[in-house]
Every structure is written in structure tokens, then in C-alpha cells.
Amino acid sequence: AYIEPSASSASELVTEILEQSLPLGALPKEEADLLLAGILLDTNQFTRNTGVRTFSAALYLRGEGANPADVRMLFRTNLDEFMREAKFESNVVIYRDIIAIAMRDGEEASANDRVAAAKAADKLLSVGGVMASFALVRLDDTIHISARSQGDINVQLILEKLEGGGHFDVAGAQIRGSSMVQTLNRLKKAIDDYLQTLI
């Protein structure tokens, strides 16, 4: 068992183990690429939860043949995924001046829209003044919520009030048997309660 709470990702932990256990040049390039992709994904391109050990792991993977250009190709999306994300980005409200909330309550939503919701929540953090973002999508009778934070707002605590969970800056929840309006109102109440504790 290897537990390291300060690690950016499981890929970083695996990389550290491999660095100590494999001779130099023994890690196949494809595996090095995938591990680097995992680190890039979990750190949002080295902008979140990074430390000296994160960059050390990336340096080791680069030395083992990981190619950033090849890794970037793994993150390319097709047109369908792009359009799914755009549907979230065209329905955004800013709440309390610092919270972005995107919603999709379409009849043709599918499991791929859960991934699009997570990506949309990530992208919304690039909007000026937004400190946290939430993306909501209905699939059948369940509303899925993906939440992201710049690090100043604990989205885990907010979504715990909706029976969700996760981490300080990445969290999620599933609300069954509730309308989008009801869920949105519950989310706003949870945000209000959380922000009240910061005052």
C-alpha cells in the first residue's frame, strides 16, 4: 500500500514506484505517454495540485520517451463531443458573482453528456472572476452534477449537502427524482450556506 495525500494523481504515484523499481530506459514509450497523460489530466495541465514531485515524475517520464505532442493527441475530441460541451457553455448563469452554473436538461442527453459536463465545469473556471463552477445534466430520472474550483471554494462541502462528495476542488453528486429547477434551488441553497460560513 502506498498512500501519499499530497500527490497530484494516481499516475504520479505509479510513476514514482516505477522510477524506483525499473532500470533506466525500461519503461515502454506508450506507457510513459499514458502516465504523463494521467498527470496532465488530473493537474489540469500542471495548474492544479502540483508540487515538486509532480514535475519530477513528469521529468522522469519525459526521459523515458513520453512525448508531449503525442500525449496532446490523446486529448483531442471529436465534433460530437465538442458540440455536447457547447450545449453547456450556451446555458450558463453566474451566481453570487463568483459561481458559474451550466445546465443541460435535454431530452436526448446520454452518458457522454456526463463527460461533457465535467469538461464544461473545467472550462468555466477560465472565465474571469469565476472561483467555482457547477455543470448539471439530466439523464433519465437523475441529475448529475460536476463541480470544479480554483482552490478558494470547497466544492466538496457544497455537494455533500446534496449527498455528493469528492475533493476540495473536484466533486460530484447525483440527484434522483428531482426536477432541474428543484435541483438548481437546492444547489444555490447549499452554495449560500457554504459562503455564509466564510463570512
Side-chain angles (χ1 to χ4, degrees):
Y2 182 30
I3 299 172
E4 179 51 68
S6 67
S8 67
S9 64
S11 295
E12 180 183 324
L13 293 175
V14 170
T15 299
E16 288 181 347
I17 292 169
L18 292 174
E19 186 175 9
Q20 298 300 318
S21 60
L22 291 179
L24 284 176
L27 185 65
K29 179 199 176 311
E30 294 79 11
E31 292 179 20
D33 281 341
L34 291 174
L35 286 167
L36 183 59
I39 292 173
L40 288 172
L41 181 66
D42 288 341
T43 63
N44 196 19
Q45 309 290 326
F46 294 115
T47 62
R48 184 174 58 217
N49 298 330
T50 55
V52 173
R53 291 168 65 172
T54 309
F55 291 103
S56 177
L59 179 64
Y60 165 73
L61 293 171
R62 187 73 175 99
E64 291 294 303
N67 185 333
D70 292 342
V71 169
R72 189 158 182 81
M73 294 296 285
L74 295 173
F75 292 110
R76 292 181 71 183
T77 61
N78 60 36
L79 183 60
D80 180 59
E81 292 170 346
F82 181 83
M83 296 302 288
R84 287 178 190 279
E85 290 176 46
K87 288 179 181 175
F88 284 97
E89 294 164 12
S90 64
N91 189 15
V92 178
V93 296
I94 302 297
Y95 185 65
R96 298 281 186 159
D97 297 325
I98 57 170
I99 309 288
I101 303 173
M103 294 162 285
R104 171 123 193 263
D105 195 11
E107 60 289 334
E108 75 284 352
S110 72
N112 291 333
D113 289 294
R114 289 178 60 189
V115 175
K119 289 180 178 180
D122 271 332
K123 283 187 180 176
L124 285 170
L125 290 181
S126 66
V127 175
V130 171
M131 297 174 68
S133 62
F134 298 83
L136 292 73
V137 61
R138 171 186 296 287
L139 294 177
D140 299 322
D141 71 334
T142 304
I143 295 177
H144 300 266
I145 305 174
S146 289
R148 301 293 185 270
S149 167
Q150 294 280 22
D152 294 319
I153 293 178
N154 189 333
V155 291
Q156 174 188 352
L157 291 179
I158 293 171
L159 289 188
E160 280 179 357
K161 293 184 178 289
L162 299 166
E163 289 83 46
H167 300 284
F168 190 96
D169 54 3
V170 178
Q174 296 179 2
I175 313 296
R176 290 181 176 80
S178 178
S179 71
M180 186 64 78
V181 171
Q182 290 169 327
T183 302
L184 181 59
N185 289 336
R186 286 183 63 195
L187 176 59
K188 287 180 176 179
K189 172 81 166 66
I191 292 169
D192 291 341
D193 291 347
Y194 172 78
L195 293 177
Q196 192 66 34
T197 65
L198 301 181
I199 298 174

